[in-house]
Amino acid sequence: GMGHEFKRDGDWTCGSCNTNCFASKNSCFKCKAPRPGAGGMGGGPGGNRTFTPREGDWTCPECGGNCFASRMECFRCKAPRPTGA
């Protein structure tokens, strides 16, 4: 295989680019998005899993994925970006 095709306990999947990230990391090594629940003081295991989108980011109407402003299709389900998003 090509390396990171398996997950270990505590590893997490980036909500922005769907990359597997190590449990020890608080942001995605690929796209630098923050780990869900790692922001501010309320993070940690089982903590608040909200992700604060940046200006221009959009939510996919098909699957609810948070997509970067630069994307013209959803990273997760490949649905096209809605007009005006």
Side-chain angles (χ1 to χ4, degrees):
M2 291 297 293
H4 297 83
E5 296 169 356
F6 61 93
K7 289 180 77 170
R8 295 179 297 185
D9 284 346
D11 286 358
W12 55 281
T13 301
C14 177
S16 293
C17 72
N18 213 31
T19 296
N20 181 50
C21 302
F22 292 135
S24 62
K25 301 297 181 189
N26 284 324
S27 62
C28 176
F29 73 90
K30 190 171 187 180
C31 75
K32 309 300 183 210
R35 177 181 183 167
M41 300 299 288
N48 184 354
R49 290 185 52 87
T50 60
F51 175 77
T52 303
R54 291 177 290 198
E55 189 173 340
D57 287 357
W58 54 280
T59 301
C60 176
E62 299 295 322
C63 73
N66 181 62
C67 303
F68 289 139
S70 61
R71 289 191 166 271
M72 296 311 293
E73 67 178 19
C74 177
F75 73 92
R76 187 180 295 160
C77 73
K78 306 299 182 206
R81 179 179 182 160
T83 304

